Amino acid sequence: MHIAISDDYQDAVRTLDCFSKLAGHRVTIFNDTVKDIDALANRFRDADALVLIRERTRISDALLEKLPRLKLICQTGKSTPHVDVAACTRRGVTVTAGRGSSRAPAELTWALVLAAMRRIPQEASRLRAGRWQTTLGTGLHGRTLGIWGYGNIGTLV
């Protein structure tokens, strides 16, 4: 089976424990995003299965028409607005969603909150330019982050 993995910007897929499950299959990993349908069709023309990283590549009926070998699309998140699921169903292409941990996005949320409140990107840039602490950050003590009701990730945050 030929499996194409799209949009692996960080070239991280091959370092994941689950990648070993693909042993014995031909796997092609693309580290960039292509939008042109003909270019996508050329990339995926021999693929029996596609693994989509998030919502970066749009799978339309026009693209599916050019991929007669394709039988499976696995999406790394639960959201599939970029995949024409009805066209996949008509063409016999199964669409599945993977699952992962909500911890990483929750942790990233806190990193971004802290970076914004403490102006870390600006201060890091100034430090590289030879300047030291030019602003005062805003403390988080006593503040509330209003994210209730936003699912698993929001609950962890």
mmCIF file of all heavy atoms in Angstrom, residues 1-2 4 44-45 47-52 59-75 80 82-97:
data_model
loop_
_atom_site.group_PDB
_atom_site.id
_atom_site.type_symbol
_atom_site.label_atom_id
_atom_site.label_comp_id
_atom_site.label_asym_id
_atom_site.label_seq_id
_atom_site.Cartn_x
_atom_site.Cartn_y
_atom_site.Cartn_z
ATOM 1 N N MET A 1 0.840 -1.176 0.000
ATOM 2 C CA MET A 1 0.000 0.000 0.000
ATOM 3 C C MET A 1 0.887 1.242 0.000
ATOM 4 O O MET A 1 1.875 1.305 0.712
ATOM 5 C CB MET A 1 -0.907 -0.003 1.238
ATOM 6 C CG MET A 1 -1.731 1.268 1.351
ATOM 7 S SD MET A 1 -2.744 1.371 2.837
ATOM 8 C CE MET A 1 -3.995 0.193 2.446
ATOM 9 N N HIS A 2 0.497 2.226 -0.811
ATOM 10 C CA HIS A 2 1.220 3.494 -0.840
ATOM 11 C C HIS A 2 0.434 4.509 -0.020
ATOM 12 O O HIS A 2 -0.734 4.779 -0.304
ATOM 13 C CB HIS A 2 1.391 3.984 -2.275
ATOM 14 C CG HIS A 2 2.137 5.282 -2.345
ATOM 15 N ND1 HIS A 2 1.961 6.168 -3.367
ATOM 16 C CD2 HIS A 2 3.061 5.851 -1.537
ATOM 17 C CE1 HIS A 2 2.740 7.224 -3.176
ATOM 18 N NE2 HIS A 2 3.412 7.035 -2.065
ATOM 19 N N ALA A 4 0.433 8.433 1.379
ATOM 20 C CA ALA A 4 0.998 9.780 1.246
ATOM 21 C C ALA A 4 0.588 10.593 2.470
ATOM 22 O O ALA A 4 -0.584 10.603 2.856
ATOM 23 C CB ALA A 4 0.493 10.452 -0.027
ATOM 24 N N PHE A 44 -0.262 12.855 -5.290
ATOM 25 C CA PHE A 44 -1.026 11.779 -4.670
ATOM 26 C C PHE A 44 -1.474 10.699 -5.662
ATOM 27 O O PHE A 44 -2.192 9.788 -5.279
ATOM 28 C CB PHE A 44 -2.265 12.350 -3.974
ATOM 29 C CG PHE A 44 -1.991 13.390 -2.924
ATOM 30 C CD1 PHE A 44 -2.907 14.389 -2.661
ATOM 31 C CD2 PHE A 44 -0.813 13.385 -2.184
ATOM 32 C CE1 PHE A 44 -2.680 15.346 -1.683
ATOM 33 C CE2 PHE A 44 -0.565 14.338 -1.208
ATOM 34 C CZ PHE A 44 -1.509 15.327 -0.956
ATOM 35 N N ARG A 45 -1.060 10.768 -6.916
ATOM 36 C CA ARG A 45 -1.607 9.895 -7.975
ATOM 37 C C ARG A 45 -1.443 8.403 -7.680
ATOM 38 O O ARG A 45 -2.284 7.608 -8.066
ATOM 39 C CB ARG A 45 -1.009 10.254 -9.320
ATOM 40 C CG ARG A 45 0.430 9.821 -9.515
ATOM 41 C CD ARG A 45 0.944 10.128 -10.925
ATOM 42 N NE ARG A 45 2.354 9.854 -11.001
ATOM 43 C CZ ARG A 45 3.304 10.759 -10.803
ATOM 44 N NH1 ARG A 45 2.965 12.000 -10.535
ATOM 45 N NH2 ARG A 45 4.571 10.420 -10.868
ATOM 46 N N ALA A 47 -1.196 7.113 -4.569
ATOM 47 C CA ALA A 47 -1.545 6.850 -3.169
ATOM 48 C C ALA A 47 -2.836 6.040 -3.048
ATOM 49 O O ALA A 47 -3.831 6.324 -3.711
ATOM 50 C CB ALA A 47 -1.683 8.160 -2.402
ATOM 51 N N ASP A 48 -2.784 5.048 -2.198
ATOM 52 C CA ASP A 48 -3.980 4.302 -1.817
ATOM 53 C C ASP A 48 -4.633 4.968 -0.608
ATOM 54 O O ASP A 48 -5.831 4.847 -0.394
ATOM 55 C CB ASP A 48 -3.604 2.863 -1.445
ATOM 56 C CG ASP A 48 -2.936 2.144 -2.594
ATOM 57 O OD1 ASP A 48 -3.606 1.921 -3.614
ATOM 58 O OD2 ASP A 48 -1.730 1.827 -2.468
ATOM 59 N N ALA A 49 -3.803 5.640 0.195
ATOM 60 C CA ALA A 49 -4.286 6.298 1.404
ATOM 61 C C ALA A 49 -3.573 7.631 1.575
ATOM 62 O O ALA A 49 -2.405 7.772 1.223
ATOM 63 C CB ALA A 49 -4.035 5.412 2.624
ATOM 64 N N LEU A 50 -4.310 8.602 2.110
ATOM 65 C CA LEU A 50 -3.746 9.914 2.443
ATOM 66 C C LEU A 50 -3.870 10.125 3.946
ATOM 67 O O LEU A 50 -4.906 9.822 4.531
ATOM 68 C CB LEU A 50 -4.528 11.040 1.765
ATOM 69 C CG LEU A 50 -4.418 11.236 0.279
ATOM 70 C CD1 LEU A 50 -5.317 12.391 -0.156
ATOM 71 C CD2 LEU A 50 -2.986 11.503 -0.109
ATOM 72 N N VAL A 51 -2.817 10.651 4.542
ATOM 73 C CA VAL A 51 -2.877 11.111 5.919
ATOM 74 C C VAL A 51 -2.735 12.624 5.845
ATOM 75 O O VAL A 51 -1.724 13.141 5.372
ATOM 76 C CB VAL A 51 -1.757 10.491 6.787
ATOM 77 C CG1 VAL A 51 -1.805 11.067 8.198
ATOM 78 C CG2 VAL A 51 -1.881 8.976 6.811
ATOM 79 N N LEU A 52 -3.771 13.318 6.280
ATOM 80 C CA LEU A 52 -3.777 14.777 6.233
ATOM 81 C C LEU A 52 -3.432 15.341 7.604
ATOM 82 O O LEU A 52 -4.009 14.937 8.611
ATOM 83 C CB LEU A 52 -5.157 15.289 5.810
ATOM 84 C CG LEU A 52 -5.698 14.772 4.481
ATOM 85 C CD1 LEU A 52 -7.096 15.319 4.233
ATOM 86 C CD2 LEU A 52 -4.761 15.153 3.343
ATOM 87 N N ILE A 59 -9.396 18.699 0.022
ATOM 88 C CA ILE A 59 -9.693 17.535 -0.806
ATOM 89 C C ILE A 59 -11.079 17.758 -1.416
ATOM 90 O O ILE A 59 -12.101 17.634 -0.745
ATOM 91 C CB ILE A 59 -9.666 16.220 0.017
ATOM 92 C CG1 ILE A 59 -8.344 16.064 0.769
ATOM 93 C CG2 ILE A 59 -9.952 15.031 -0.883
ATOM 94 C CD1 ILE A 59 -7.110 15.973 -0.117
ATOM 95 N N SER A 60 -11.093 18.109 -2.684
ATOM 96 C CA SER A 60 -12.331 18.427 -3.392
ATOM 97 C C SER A 60 -12.724 17.287 -4.325
ATOM 98 O O SER A 60 -11.930 16.380 -4.602
ATOM 99 C CB SER A 60 -12.136 19.702 -4.215
ATOM 100 O OG SER A 60 -11.165 19.461 -5.231
ATOM 101 N N ASP A 61 -13.933 17.355 -4.830
ATOM 102 C CA ASP A 61 -14.390 16.365 -5.797
ATOM 103 C C ASP A 61 -13.510 16.394 -7.038
ATOM 104 O O ASP A 61 -13.174 15.338 -7.597
ATOM 105 C CB ASP A 61 -15.852 16.623 -6.163
ATOM 106 C CG ASP A 61 -16.450 15.495 -6.981
ATOM 107 O OD1 ASP A 61 -16.192 14.317 -6.662
ATOM 108 O OD2 ASP A 61 -17.171 15.791 -7.949
ATOM 109 N N ALA A 62 -13.110 17.594 -7.463
ATOM 110 C CA ALA A 62 -12.245 17.712 -8.649
ATOM 111 C C ALA A 62 -10.907 17.012 -8.435
ATOM 112 O O ALA A 62 -10.374 16.380 -9.358
ATOM 113 C CB ALA A 62 -12.025 19.190 -8.987
ATOM 114 N N LEU A 63 -10.361 17.087 -7.239
ATOM 115 C CA LEU A 63 -9.112 16.387 -6.940
ATOM 116 C C LEU A 63 -9.350 14.877 -6.874
ATOM 117 O O LEU A 63 -8.589 14.095 -7.447
ATOM 118 C CB LEU A 63 -8.503 16.886 -5.628
ATOM 119 C CG LEU A 63 -7.244 16.150 -5.148
ATOM 120 C CD1 LEU A 63 -6.122 16.234 -6.185
ATOM 121 C CD2 LEU A 63 -6.783 16.709 -3.809
ATOM 122 N N LEU A 64 -10.404 14.474 -6.194
ATOM 123 C CA LEU A 64 -10.713 13.053 -6.075
ATOM 124 C C LEU A 64 -10.892 12.386 -7.437
ATOM 125 O O LEU A 64 -10.512 11.231 -7.626
ATOM 126 C CB LEU A 64 -11.970 12.853 -5.226
ATOM 127 C CG LEU A 64 -11.824 13.193 -3.740
ATOM 128 C CD1 LEU A 64 -13.194 13.262 -3.081
ATOM 129 C CD2 LEU A 64 -10.920 12.203 -3.041
ATOM 130 N N GLU A 65 -11.437 13.119 -8.364
ATOM 131 C CA GLU A 65 -11.622 12.602 -9.725
ATOM 132 C C GLU A 65 -10.293 12.172 -10.342
ATOM 133 O O GLU A 65 -10.232 11.246 -11.136
ATOM 134 C CB GLU A 65 -12.294 13.668 -10.592
ATOM 135 C CG GLU A 65 -12.591 13.238 -11.996
ATOM 136 C CD GLU A 65 -13.294 14.312 -12.794
ATOM 137 O OE1 GLU A 65 -13.520 15.423 -12.259
ATOM 138 O OE2 GLU A 65 -13.620 14.048 -13.956
ATOM 139 N N LYS A 66 -9.222 12.831 -9.948
ATOM 140 C CA LYS A 66 -7.899 12.552 -10.499
ATOM 141 C C LYS A 66 -7.115 11.521 -9.676
ATOM 142 O O LYS A 66 -5.961 11.248 -9.971
ATOM 143 C CB LYS A 66 -7.102 13.852 -10.585
ATOM 144 C CG LYS A 66 -7.736 14.861 -11.522
ATOM 145 C CD LYS A 66 -6.985 16.179 -11.526
ATOM 146 C CE LYS A 66 -7.691 17.153 -12.425
ATOM 147 N NZ LYS A 66 -6.821 17.869 -13.296
ATOM 148 N N LEU A 67 -7.761 10.970 -8.638
ATOM 149 C CA LEU A 67 -7.093 10.016 -7.751
ATOM 150 C C LEU A 67 -7.886 8.703 -7.675
ATOM 151 O O LEU A 67 -8.406 8.335 -6.614
ATOM 152 C CB LEU A 67 -6.937 10.625 -6.350
ATOM 153 C CG LEU A 67 -6.182 11.948 -6.256
ATOM 154 C CD1 LEU A 67 -6.246 12.508 -4.847
ATOM 155 C CD2 LEU A 67 -4.753 11.786 -6.725
ATOM 156 N N PRO A 68 -7.963 7.966 -8.766
ATOM 157 C CA PRO A 68 -8.803 6.758 -8.782
ATOM 158 C C PRO A 68 -8.316 5.645 -7.847
ATOM 159 O O PRO A 68 -9.113 4.788 -7.460
ATOM 160 C CB PRO A 68 -8.748 6.311 -10.245
ATOM 161 C CG PRO A 68 -7.495 6.895 -10.788
ATOM 162 C CD PRO A 68 -7.298 8.194 -10.050
ATOM 163 N N ARG A 69 -7.052 5.646 -7.468
ATOM 164 C CA ARG A 69 -6.521 4.605 -6.570
ATOM 165 C C ARG A 69 -6.886 4.855 -5.106
ATOM 166 O O ARG A 69 -6.856 3.936 -4.296
ATOM 167 C CB ARG A 69 -4.998 4.542 -6.665
ATOM 168 C CG ARG A 69 -4.470 4.015 -7.971
ATOM 169 C CD ARG A 69 -2.974 3.931 -7.905
ATOM 170 N NE ARG A 69 -2.565 3.168 -6.724
ATOM 171 C CZ ARG A 69 -1.626 2.255 -6.703
ATOM 172 N NH1 ARG A 69 -0.959 1.985 -7.791
ATOM 173 N NH2 ARG A 69 -1.316 1.612 -5.599
ATOM 174 N N LEU A 70 -7.190 6.090 -4.773
ATOM 175 C CA LEU A 70 -7.396 6.479 -3.378
ATOM 176 C C LEU A 70 -8.584 5.754 -2.763
ATOM 177 O O LEU A 70 -9.682 5.747 -3.312
ATOM 178 C CB LEU A 70 -7.600 7.997 -3.278
ATOM 179 C CG LEU A 70 -7.613 8.582 -1.872
ATOM 180 C CD1 LEU A 70 -6.272 8.377 -1.184
ATOM 181 C CD2 LEU A 70 -7.956 10.060 -1.921
ATOM 182 N N LYS A 71 -8.373 5.147 -1.596
ATOM 183 C CA LYS A 71 -9.427 4.421 -0.889
ATOM 184 C C LYS A 71 -9.638 4.919 0.542
ATOM 185 O O LYS A 71 -10.661 4.623 1.150
ATOM 186 C CB LYS A 71 -9.090 2.922 -0.834
ATOM 187 C CG LYS A 71 -9.048 2.273 -2.195
ATOM 188 C CD LYS A 71 -10.418 2.317 -2.841
ATOM 189 C CE LYS A 71 -10.370 1.803 -4.259
ATOM 190 N NZ LYS A 71 -11.243 2.528 -5.145
ATOM 191 N N LEU A 72 -8.646 5.650 1.094
ATOM 192 C CA LEU A 72 -8.732 6.038 2.498
ATOM 193 C C LEU A 72 -8.103 7.406 2.712
ATOM 194 O O LEU A 72 -7.024 7.687 2.186
ATOM 195 C CB LEU A 72 -8.001 5.001 3.374
ATOM 196 C CG LEU A 72 -7.849 5.318 4.863
ATOM 197 C CD1 LEU A 72 -9.211 5.294 5.559
ATOM 198 C CD2 LEU A 72 -6.891 4.339 5.528
ATOM 199 N N ILE A 73 -8.781 8.238 3.497
ATOM 200 C CA ILE A 73 -8.219 9.508 3.970
ATOM 201 C C ILE A 73 -8.310 9.477 5.487
ATOM 202 O O ILE A 73 -9.379 9.256 6.055
ATOM 203 C CB ILE A 73 -8.983 10.726 3.426
ATOM 204 C CG1 ILE A 73 -8.841 10.817 1.905
ATOM 205 C CG2 ILE A 73 -8.490 12.011 4.100
ATOM 206 C CD1 ILE A 73 -9.702 11.901 1.275
ATOM 207 N N CYS A 74 -7.181 9.679 6.129
ATOM 208 C CA CYS A 74 -7.143 9.761 7.585
ATOM 209 C C CYS A 74 -6.733 11.183 7.956
ATOM 210 O O CYS A 74 -5.696 11.671 7.527
ATOM 211 C CB CYS A 74 -6.150 8.749 8.158
ATOM 212 S SG CYS A 74 -6.114 8.790 9.962
ATOM 213 N N GLN A 75 -7.554 11.835 8.739
ATOM 214 C CA GLN A 75 -7.349 13.213 9.164
ATOM 215 C C GLN A 75 -6.825 13.208 10.588
ATOM 216 O O GLN A 75 -7.366 12.489 11.431
ATOM 217 C CB GLN A 75 -8.683 13.956 9.069
ATOM 218 C CG GLN A 75 -8.703 15.307 9.692
ATOM 219 C CD GLN A 75 -7.792 16.275 8.985
ATOM 220 O OE1 GLN A 75 -7.707 16.279 7.770
ATOM 221 N NE2 GLN A 75 -7.110 17.090 9.739
ATOM 222 N N THR A 80 -13.253 18.261 9.589
ATOM 223 C CA THR A 80 -13.030 17.912 8.184
ATOM 224 C C THR A 80 -13.699 18.883 7.208
ATOM 225 O O THR A 80 -14.156 18.462 6.148
ATOM 226 C CB THR A 80 -13.539 16.480 7.885
ATOM 227 O OG1 THR A 80 -14.921 16.405 8.242
ATOM 228 C CG2 THR A 80 -12.747 15.425 8.609
ATOM 229 N N HIS A 82 -12.402 20.815 5.192
ATOM 230 C CA HIS A 82 -11.563 20.893 4.002
ATOM 231 C C HIS A 82 -11.661 19.634 3.139
ATOM 232 O O HIS A 82 -11.059 19.562 2.075
ATOM 233 C CB HIS A 82 -10.103 21.120 4.417
ATOM 234 C CG HIS A 82 -9.605 20.016 5.288
ATOM 235 N ND1 HIS A 82 -10.124 19.768 6.534
ATOM 236 C CD2 HIS A 82 -8.674 19.071 5.088
ATOM 237 C CE1 HIS A 82 -9.528 18.721 7.060
ATOM 238 N NE2 HIS A 82 -8.640 18.273 6.194
ATOM 239 N N VAL A 83 -12.422 18.658 3.599
ATOM 240 C CA VAL A 83 -12.599 17.407 2.856
ATOM 241 C C VAL A 83 -14.053 17.333 2.393
ATOM 242 O O VAL A 83 -14.979 17.439 3.206
ATOM 243 C CB VAL A 83 -12.267 16.180 3.734
ATOM 244 C CG1 VAL A 83 -12.536 14.886 2.977
ATOM 245 C CG2 VAL A 83 -10.824 16.231 4.208
ATOM 246 N N ASP A 84 -14.257 17.149 1.100
ATOM 247 C CA ASP A 84 -15.606 16.964 0.567
ATOM 248 C C ASP A 84 -16.010 15.523 0.874
ATOM 249 O O ASP A 84 -15.781 14.609 0.086
ATOM 250 C CB ASP A 84 -15.620 17.244 -0.936
ATOM 251 C CG ASP A 84 -17.024 17.230 -1.526
ATOM 252 O OD1 ASP A 84 -17.918 16.594 -0.929
ATOM 253 O OD2 ASP A 84 -17.212 17.836 -2.601
ATOM 254 N N VAL A 85 -16.600 15.346 2.058
ATOM 255 C CA VAL A 85 -16.941 14.008 2.547
ATOM 256 C C VAL A 85 -17.991 13.360 1.642
ATOM 257 O O VAL A 85 -17.922 12.156 1.365
ATOM 258 C CB VAL A 85 -17.410 14.059 4.018
ATOM 259 C CG1 VAL A 85 -17.862 12.693 4.500
ATOM 260 C CG2 VAL A 85 -16.291 14.590 4.914
ATOM 261 N N ALA A 86 -18.944 14.134 1.148
ATOM 262 C CA ALA A 86 -19.974 13.578 0.252
ATOM 263 C C ALA A 86 -19.331 13.036 -1.022
ATOM 264 O O ALA A 86 -19.675 11.942 -1.492
ATOM 265 C CB ALA A 86 -21.019 14.642 -0.076
ATOM 266 N N ALA A 87 -18.372 13.774 -1.587
ATOM 267 C CA ALA A 87 -17.673 13.299 -2.791
ATOM 268 C C ALA A 87 -16.857 12.057 -2.480
ATOM 269 O O ALA A 87 -16.803 11.125 -3.290
ATOM 270 C CB ALA A 87 -16.775 14.407 -3.350
ATOM 271 N N CYS A 88 -16.238 12.018 -1.315
ATOM 272 C CA CYS A 88 -15.483 10.820 -0.911
ATOM 273 C C CYS A 88 -16.423 9.621 -0.831
ATOM 274 O O CYS A 88 -16.092 8.535 -1.328
ATOM 275 C CB CYS A 88 -14.798 11.054 0.435
ATOM 276 S SG CYS A 88 -13.405 12.202 0.369
ATOM 277 N N THR A 89 -17.571 9.810 -0.218
ATOM 278 C CA THR A 89 -18.540 8.723 -0.078
ATOM 279 C C THR A 89 -18.980 8.220 -1.452
ATOM 280 O O THR A 89 -19.010 7.011 -1.698
ATOM 281 C CB THR A 89 -19.759 9.206 0.743
ATOM 282 O OG1 THR A 89 -19.299 9.640 2.026
ATOM 283 C CG2 THR A 89 -20.778 8.093 0.918
ATOM 284 N N ARG A 90 -19.303 9.149 -2.355
ATOM 285 C CA ARG A 90 -19.709 8.767 -3.719
ATOM 286 C C ARG A 90 -18.629 7.971 -4.431
ATOM 287 O O ARG A 90 -18.902 7.085 -5.220
ATOM 288 C CB ARG A 90 -20.030 10.007 -4.555
ATOM 289 C CG ARG A 90 -21.384 10.599 -4.335
ATOM 290 C CD ARG A 90 -21.775 11.612 -5.392
ATOM 291 N NE ARG A 90 -20.763 12.598 -5.727
ATOM 292 C CZ ARG A 90 -20.549 13.725 -5.055
ATOM 293 N NH1 ARG A 90 -21.277 14.006 -3.990
ATOM 294 N NH2 ARG A 90 -19.609 14.570 -5.436
ATOM 295 N N ARG A 91 -17.385 8.282 -4.149
ATOM 296 C CA ARG A 91 -16.260 7.647 -4.846
ATOM 297 C C ARG A 91 -15.682 6.455 -4.082
ATOM 298 O O ARG A 91 -14.673 5.890 -4.479
ATOM 299 C CB ARG A 91 -15.181 8.681 -5.111
ATOM 300 C CG ARG A 91 -15.643 9.763 -6.086
ATOM 301 C CD ARG A 91 -14.567 10.799 -6.322
ATOM 302 N NE ARG A 91 -15.033 11.836 -7.197
ATOM 303 C CZ ARG A 91 -15.105 11.739 -8.518
ATOM 304 N NH1 ARG A 91 -14.764 10.629 -9.123
ATOM 305 N NH2 ARG A 91 -15.537 12.757 -9.252
ATOM 306 N N GLY A 92 -16.303 6.104 -2.969
ATOM 307 C CA GLY A 92 -15.848 4.942 -2.213
ATOM 308 C C GLY A 92 -14.581 5.177 -1.408
ATOM 309 O O GLY A 92 -13.865 4.237 -1.072
ATOM 310 N N VAL A 93 -14.304 6.432 -1.075
ATOM 311 C CA VAL A 93 -13.135 6.779 -0.267
ATOM 312 C C VAL A 93 -13.589 6.949 1.181
ATOM 313 O O VAL A 93 -14.427 7.800 1.481
ATOM 314 C CB VAL A 93 -12.454 8.078 -0.773
ATOM 315 C CG1 VAL A 93 -11.288 8.452 0.125
ATOM 316 C CG2 VAL A 93 -12.018 7.933 -2.216
ATOM 317 N N THR A 94 -13.056 6.149 2.054
ATOM 318 C CA THR A 94 -13.390 6.219 3.473
ATOM 319 C C THR A 94 -12.619 7.360 4.118
ATOM 320 O O THR A 94 -11.425 7.521 3.874
ATOM 321 C CB THR A 94 -13.033 4.891 4.175
ATOM 322 O OG1 THR A 94 -13.752 3.831 3.538
ATOM 323 C CG2 THR A 94 -13.381 4.925 5.649
ATOM 324 N N VAL A 95 -13.317 8.155 4.939
ATOM 325 C CA VAL A 95 -12.680 9.263 5.658
ATOM 326 C C VAL A 95 -12.738 8.946 7.147
ATOM 327 O O VAL A 95 -13.804 8.673 7.696
ATOM 328 C CB VAL A 95 -13.384 10.601 5.373
ATOM 329 C CG1 VAL A 95 -12.737 11.732 6.166
ATOM 330 C CG2 VAL A 95 -13.375 10.909 3.881
ATOM 331 N N THR A 96 -11.567 8.943 7.786
ATOM 332 C CA THR A 96 -11.488 8.680 9.222
ATOM 333 C C THR A 96 -10.804 9.847 9.913
ATOM 334 O O THR A 96 -10.100 10.633 9.278
ATOM 335 C CB THR A 96 -10.694 7.390 9.518
ATOM 336 O OG1 THR A 96 -9.338 7.575 9.110
ATOM 337 C CG2 THR A 96 -11.292 6.197 8.807
ATOM 338 N N ALA A 97 -11.016 9.936 11.205
ATOM 339 C CA ALA A 97 -10.361 10.974 12.007
ATOM 340 C C ALA A 97 -9.522 10.307 13.071
ATOM 341 O O ALA A 97 -9.984 9.383 13.745
ATOM 342 C CB ALA A 97 -11.404 11.884 12.645
#
